[in-house]
């Protein structure tokens, strides 16, 4: 089989995980899962920051609550790179609803509700490009 495409994706260790002190365990899973971390920083989003990041969810019933949750403390956005990084990171995360997440996935282990679901990942190359640019400039991203 030919090797997969090298992609970049945007991951966030959400405020619930940072507050619980499991960011390190999640980073270990990223590195052991074959993804390289090219950029990372702690960000405490304002309501406007969260609203802009989740703009595609504006019409969803959970939008306001999601924005409040994402601003309750610092989160840890990261740029990840690797073969098929977008899908690979989604596989490591598990399903959005932690009750449906496969055993061994990050959400199965660390999420506590559908909202406080431990981590976020871009769902397409287009969202990855938007989301990476939302948190990082080209100078923040360290290719290796
Ligand atoms: P995330 O992958 O960051 O994308 C949107 C977020 O909305 C999702 O993870 C959850 O944290 C949150 N959310 C809250 N309620 C729901 C819901 N009913 N369905 C999907 N996502 C939800």
């Amino acid at each position: 089989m030919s090797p997969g495409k090298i992609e970049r994706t945007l991951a966030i260790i959400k405020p619930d995980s940072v507050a619980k002190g499991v960011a390190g365990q999640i980073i270990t899973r990223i590195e052991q899962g074959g993804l390289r971390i090219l950029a990372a920083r702690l960000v405490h989003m304002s309501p406007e920051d969260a609203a802009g990041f989740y703009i595609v969810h504006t019409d969803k019933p959970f939008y306001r609550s999601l924005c409040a949750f994402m601003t309750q403390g610092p989160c840890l956005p990261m740029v990840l790179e690797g073969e098929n990084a977008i899908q690979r990171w989604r596989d490591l995360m598990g399903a959005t609803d932690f009750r449906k997440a496969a055993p061994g996935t990050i959400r199965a282990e660390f999420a506590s509700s559908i909202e406080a679901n431990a981590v976020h990942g871009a769902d397409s190359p287009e969202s990855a490009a938007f989301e990476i640019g939302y948190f990082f400039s080209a100078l923040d991203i360290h290719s290796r």
Side-chain angles (χ1 to χ4, degrees):
M1 208 170 79
S2 60
K5 191 159 42 111
I6 300 293
E7 291 177 329
R8 289 180 180 180
T9 192
L10 190 280
I12 302 178
I13 301 181
K14 290 188 177 183
D16 55 323
S17 301
V18 173
K20 274 195 286 193
V22 297
Q25 292 183 60
I26 293 172
I27 287 171
T28 297
R29 284 166 179 250
I30 289 169
E31 293 179 328
Q32 291 184 343
L35 291 164
R36 292 180 292 280
I37 299 170
L38 303 190
R41 69 190 179 102
L42 278 172
V43 180
H44 192 160
M45 285 198 277
S46 69
E48 294 74 24
D49 294 333
F53 180 73
Y54 278 120
I55 194 134
V56 294
H57 293 306
T58 309
D59 296 332
K60 305 274 171 50
F62 54 81
Y63 181 66
R64 284 171 65 91
S65 172
L66 171 63
C67 292
F69 162 68
M70 289 300 289
T71 59
Q72 71 186 19
C75 65
L76 181 49
M78 290 173 285
V79 179
L80 308 181
E81 183 178 75
E83 275 181 28
N84 301 316
I86 294 171
Q87 189 58 47
R88 187 183 287 230
W89 172 232
R90 295 182 71 77
D91 291 346
L92 287 172
M93 289 195 298
T96 303
D97 182 348
F98 75 111
R99 293 167 300 188
K100 296 180 185 150
T105 58
I106 292 169
R107 283 170 169 159
E109 186 160 346
F110 298 115
S112 46
S113 72
I114 192 164
E115 182 169 86
N117 64 352
V119 282
H120 166 84
D123 64 2
S124 66
E126 295 72 29
S127 12
F130 167 76
E131 294 181 7
I132 288 170
Y134 201 80
F135 287 109
F136 299 101
S137 75
L139 290 175
D140 298 321
I141 301 172
H142 304 276
S143 301
R144 57 193 169 90

